[in-house]
Amino acid sequence: MADFILNAPKGANKKKFIVGRGSSSGNGTTAGKGNKGQQSRSGGKTYVGFEGGQMPLYRRIAHRGFSNYPFKKEFSIINVCILNEVFESGETVDKESLVSKGLIDSAKVAVKILGNGELTKKLTVNVDKVSASAKTKIEAAGGSVVSSTEAK
């Protein structure tokens, strides 16, 4: 039978440091908080954005005007080089086929085809948007772009 005792590593067990328990403790009177002022008070914290009494930035700047953020439309981006790898010649590229090939998660998302890479297969593309460079590459390969909005 092995004779050993489990001990915590040195310095692992430390006594809790209690402040404000008399001057002989070394941390009495002001309890390490200095003399007077906001930081010495109980609850002496400030709010987020507080600038020491200066007019905060969020109050200096006018909060008026228009933001397009609520109306922003995000597209799933697919390059023609990916279409060249995944699709066979003569196939139709639409949201359903992109979902079945695993290129997009859902048929509800908007899809945009970009012209990065080369395309050698004849494809019929029917998605939300097709860039001008992608359209020229699809048509140069003998394919066609059906009812999509040409984008820049």
Side-chain angles (χ1 to χ4, degrees):
M1 181 176 207
D3 292 326
F4 62 90
I5 301 170
L6 291 177
N7 288 324
K10 185 179 178 185
N13 298 328
K14 295 181 85 174
K15 189 178 176 188
K16 182 181 173 187
F17 191 66
I18 302 172
V19 297
R21 294 297 183 273
S23 57
S24 62
S25 70
N27 220 328
T29 61
T30 58
K33 287 177 170 271
N35 293 316
K36 301 184 184 175
Q38 186 170 23
Q39 308 309 320
S40 69
R41 311 287 187 218
S42 112
K45 295 185 176 79
T46 57
Y47 51 85
V48 176
F50 183 72
E51 295 184 20
Q54 173 177 302
M55 185 62 70
L57 182 69
Y58 75 92
R59 288 186 61 195
R60 291 196 300 260
I61 297 173
H63 289 271
R64 291 167 49 191
F66 175 75
S67 172
N68 200 49
Y69 185 78
F71 311 105
K72 179 173 72 170
K73 191 167 188 183
E74 293 203 17
F75 289 89
S76 288
I77 304 298
I78 299 172
N79 285 302
V80 291
C81 59
I82 296 171
L83 298 180
N84 198 43
E85 293 172 11
V86 175
F87 287 91
E88 296 299 321
S89 186
E91 280 190 282
T92 301
V93 179
D94 55 8
K95 289 183 182 182
E96 289 74 27
S97 64
L98 291 168
V99 170
S100 66
K101 303 266 186 186
L103 294 176
I104 59 174
D105 295 330
S106 166
K108 294 179 182 176
V109 297
V111 177
K112 183 173 181 179
I113 307 294
L114 298 181
N116 191 11
E118 296 301 318
L119 182 68
T120 56
K121 298 174 181 173
K122 180 181 176 182
L123 299 173
T124 305
V125 179
N126 184 7
V127 292
D128 298 304
K129 284 194 176 188
V130 178
S131 71
S133 61
K135 186 176 182 180
T136 56
K137 287 183 180 182
I138 291 165
E139 290 172 349
S144 62
V145 177
V146 182
S147 72
S148 67
T149 311
E150 188 176 323
K152 292 179 181 169

